[in-house]
Amino acid sequence: MDSSITALRHHGLALVQTTDFFYPLVDNPYMMGRIACANVLSDLYAMGVTDCDNMLMLLGVSQKMTDKERDTVVPLMMRGFRDLAVEAGTNVAGGQTVLNPWLIIGGVATSVCLPSHEFILPDDATAGDVLVLTKPLGTQVAVNAHQWLGQTEKWNRIKLVVTSEDVNKAYMRAMCSMARLNRIAARLMHKYNAHGATDITGFGILGHAQNLARIQKKNVNFVIHNLPIISKMAAVSKACGNMFHLLQGHSAETSGGLLIALPREQAAAFCKDIEKSEQFQSWIIGIVEKGTRIARIIEKPRVIEVPAKDKEGELW
């Protein structure tokens, strides 16, 4: 599961908890703090938990930073983390800061829940369900392509399929997508009777789909037909050969969307509801069928080009 669930000694309550941390991947410290906070909370949201009772921040301050760099970058990261925690309806009550060879940021998220209705176990997918994804793929490709704008050798590998403007737009879309909470999606999981979910992060869409399929109670397979990808990033991935494995489903995503198994008759309403609430799309990307608890992407999946600049890109 994406979060641990511990039965408390107080009757009828459960502790749902998760922790995560990683290295910076965008050049905006404030946004990096927001992304880190969203990434931690996403594990709760994948369990259908919509309210976090407390957060801790984990921060490794790089010994390689100058005093000026440290005093500029670290407060901005901390503020971004704190601001998104407040938007999520929680607060940062403490944590741990250490000196470290590399800059690291992450945290711990904790929620005390009533097991009867506050979380959704991820193991009840049923043949006939459909798979919904709530954020586009391609964040790692977009972040790397943006870094390559100043690296001639690497830029030459992709400049025939993408312009610098395309890359900047994709990078902005990726950065703001990673900093967006999955909280509304988690709330709608209850409304539309979700049968299980996971969030898409380091193992890519297929890796996480395989993990989710493996733990199902019923004998089912997950089959992915559609890949919603930030505009032009599929072409960039192809131009780089097998470096990212984006179309194969193994490209890492940071603070990605929720992959949710929903009853077929309720999936379209879920997507419409989330778009109405957030002004961002979700996509039906596959089906659940009888099988042996595996997940796969069809041989020629449909790539959905997700616009690289929309309201997300205007937020910051």
Side-chain angles (χ1 to χ4, degrees):
M1 296 188 294
D2 289 292
S3 298
S4 66
I5 299 178
T6 306
L8 296 179
R9 63 182 182 277
H10 306 291
H11 180 70
L13 295 176
L15 185 74
V16 182
Q17 195 166 52
T18 185
T19 185
D20 209 339
F21 63 88
F22 54 92
Y23 307 107
L25 70 165
V26 299
D27 57 12
N28 182 322
Y30 178 78
M31 288 298 289
M32 191 61 240
R34 292 180 69 94
I35 291 168
C37 183
N39 191 61
V40 175
L41 287 168
S42 190
D43 285 339
L44 292 186
Y45 299 146
M47 301 292 296
V49 175
T50 60
D51 296 303
C52 176
D53 292 307
N54 184 58
M55 292 197 78
L56 304 176
M57 185 188 302
L58 305 176
L59 189 61
V61 180
S62 175
Q63 296 164 320
K64 298 177 182 179
M65 298 175 103
T66 66
D67 290 348
K68 183 177 180 180
E69 288 171 338
R70 181 196 63 216
D71 293 344
T72 302
V73 169
V74 173
L76 284 169
M77 290 175 65
M78 294 176 70
R79 194 177 85 197
F81 192 101
R82 180 201 62 201
D83 285 356
L84 197 66
V86 170
E87 287 183 27
T90 186
N91 63 82
V92 181
Q96 183 70 25
T97 303
V98 297
L99 285 173
N100 193 63
W102 308 280
L103 188 61
I104 294 174
I105 185 168
V108 180
T110 303
S111 183
V112 178
C113 295
L114 291 169
S116 59
H117 65 276
E118 286 193 88
F119 59 77
I120 297 172
L121 293 176
D123 59 0
D124 200 30
T126 301
D129 285 352
V130 298
L131 302 173
V132 169
L133 181 65
T134 64
K135 289 185 184 180
L137 306 171
T139 55
Q140 183 191 39
V141 181
V143 166
N144 278 266
H146 186 260
Q147 292 173 350
W148 295 347
L149 287 173
Q151 301 177 33
T152 303
E153 183 179 343
K154 292 181 177 178
W155 177 248
N156 285 341
R157 298 174 64 180
I158 64 173
K159 68 180 183 181
L160 295 179
V161 298
V162 71
T163 67
S164 59
E165 183 181 5
D166 292 331
V167 168
N168 282 319
K169 288 181 178 180
Y171 173 72
M172 180 61 71
R173 174 72 195 238
M175 181 166 59
C176 295
S177 177
M178 291 185 287
R180 179 159 58 91
L181 294 170
N182 283 318
R183 192 182 188 192
I184 289 177
R187 187 176 296 134
L188 293 178
M189 283 169 58
H190 294 270
K191 180 178 179 180
Y192 293 102
N193 302 306
H195 291 153
T198 188
D199 64 328
I200 307 304
T201 52
F203 295 120
I205 181 71
L206 183 58
H208 287 285
Q210 289 170 333
N211 289 341
L212 190 61
R214 198 173 292 127
I215 65 166
Q216 295 306 309
K217 292 184 293 187
K218 302 181 179 71
N219 294 322
V220 295
N221 288 346
F222 293 169
V223 184
I224 296 171
H225 298 89
N226 304 317
L227 296 175
I229 297 174
I230 296 170
S231 182
K232 303 293 181 71
M233 294 305 102
V236 169
S237 181
K238 288 178 182 178
C240 294
N242 290 322
M243 179 177 178
F244 294 107
H245 300 281
L246 178 60
L247 297 179
Q248 290 74 39
H250 292 296
S251 182
E253 308 289 339
T254 299
S255 190
L258 300 186
L259 177 67
I260 309 169
L262 284 162
R264 181 183 296 272
E265 63 275 11
Q266 302 206 51
F270 173 95
C271 292
K272 182 180 289 187
D273 206 342
I274 202 170
E275 185 170 2
K276 180 181 178 182
S277 301
E278 294 194 283
Q279 288 76 55
F280 301 122
Q281 277 186 289
S282 293
W283 302 268
I284 295 174
I285 66 164
I287 61 172
V288 179
E289 62 182 22
K290 291 182 179 179
T292 56
R293 299 186 181 88
I294 62 171
R296 64 182 177 90
I297 298 175
I298 64 171
E299 186 175 348
K300 293 183 179 180
R302 175 190 172 213
V303 173
I304 301 171
E305 293 276 332
V306 180
K309 188 176 182 181
D310 61 5
K311 291 184 179 179
E312 275 183 316
E314 297 167 5
L315 286 175
W316 311 103

